[in-house]
């Protein structure tokens, strides 16, 4: 096997390794999204409990205080999720860029292989002509 072919195989092996790493990253993102779903479920449960507590309240002041507490809590949760979503979007954009680079590398490798085949054919033709 020629050195060029070995180099190409090494590059393809590296690309495979990179794709495996990207799969791992996507699995981690799935896990994080699952955790976020769990947290949203907990938040729903808390809101249900708050709703139950509000049923027992009688005064307008108590209702206003509970409403303000809920609104503060929701604002806090929204800020946290916005930060997390921004981070996820950033990671997703990095993955998209990585996939583009990998696709270009694969295209370049295919072109290189084609050039090698053509050169090999040209050399064979020259050998036949000179023989």
């Amino acid at each position: 096997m020629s050195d060029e072919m070995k180099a190409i195989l090494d590059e393809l092996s590296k690309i495979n390794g990179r794709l495996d790493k990207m799969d791992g990253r996507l699995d981690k993102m799935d896990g994080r999204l699952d955790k976020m779903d769990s947290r949203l479920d907990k938040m729903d449960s808390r809101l249900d409990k708050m709703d139950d507590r509000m049923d027992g309240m009688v005064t307008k002041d108590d209702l206003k205080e509970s409403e303000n507490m809920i609104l503060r809590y929701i604002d806090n949760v929204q800020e946290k999720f916005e930060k997390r979503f921004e981070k996820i979007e950033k990671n997703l954009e990095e993955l998209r860029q990585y996939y583009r680079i990998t696709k270009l590398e694969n295209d370049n490798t295919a072109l290189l292989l084609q050039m090698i085949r053509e050169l090999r054919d040209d050399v064979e033709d020259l050998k036949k002509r000179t023989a």
Side-chain angles (χ1 to χ4, degrees):
M1 183 180 291
S2 70
D3 291 340
E4 293 169 346
M5 291 299 284
K6 287 180 183 176
I8 290 170
L9 288 175
D10 287 343
E11 281 300 315
L12 289 174
S13 176
K14 289 177 186 177
I15 290 170
N16 260 349
R18 291 179 188 152
L19 289 174
D20 289 342
K21 288 180 183 178
M22 286 184 359
D23 283 340
R25 288 180 182 168
L26 288 173
D27 289 342
K28 286 181 184 178
M29 285 178 62
D30 283 341
R32 289 179 181 161
L33 289 173
D34 289 342
K35 288 180 183 178
M36 288 171 59
D37 284 340
S38 172
R39 289 179 181 157
L40 286 172
D41 290 341
K42 288 179 184 177
M43 195 169 78
D44 282 342
S45 173
R46 288 180 185 176
L47 289 174
D48 289 341
K49 288 178 184 177
M50 287 181 191
D51 192 34
D52 291 342
R53 285 194 322 215
M54 286 180 65
D55 289 341
M57 295 182 184
V58 179
T59 66
K60 290 182 181 180
D61 290 337
D62 289 338
L63 291 174
K64 286 181 184 177
E65 182 179 328
S66 293
E67 182 181 13
N68 288 335
M69 181 180 71
I70 291 169
L71 290 174
R72 282 192 303 270
Y73 181 76
I74 289 172
D75 286 344
N76 187 14
V77 169
Q78 183 178 359
E79 287 176 16
K80 288 179 183 179
F81 279 125
E82 284 177 359
K83 288 177 185 176
R84 288 182 182 165
F85 284 131
E86 287 173 7
K87 191 184 256 187
I88 288 171
E89 287 174 353
K90 180 184 172 191
N91 288 341
L92 188 59
E93 184 57 36
E94 288 177 11
L95 284 173
R96 284 182 183 142
Q97 290 175 0
Y98 191 77
Y99 272 96
R100 285 185 205 124
I101 289 169
T102 302
K103 184 181 181 309
L104 288 174
E105 287 177 350
N106 286 340
D107 291 345
N108 286 342
T109 302
L111 287 172
L112 195 71
L113 283 171
Q114 182 62 34
M115 288 172 60
I116 290 170
R117 286 185 197 116
E118 290 173 4
L119 283 173
R120 187 180 302 142
D121 292 343
D122 289 345
V123 168
E124 288 298 321
D125 286 342
L126 287 174
K127 282 182 182 179
K128 287 177 183 177
R129 288 183 194 169
T130 58

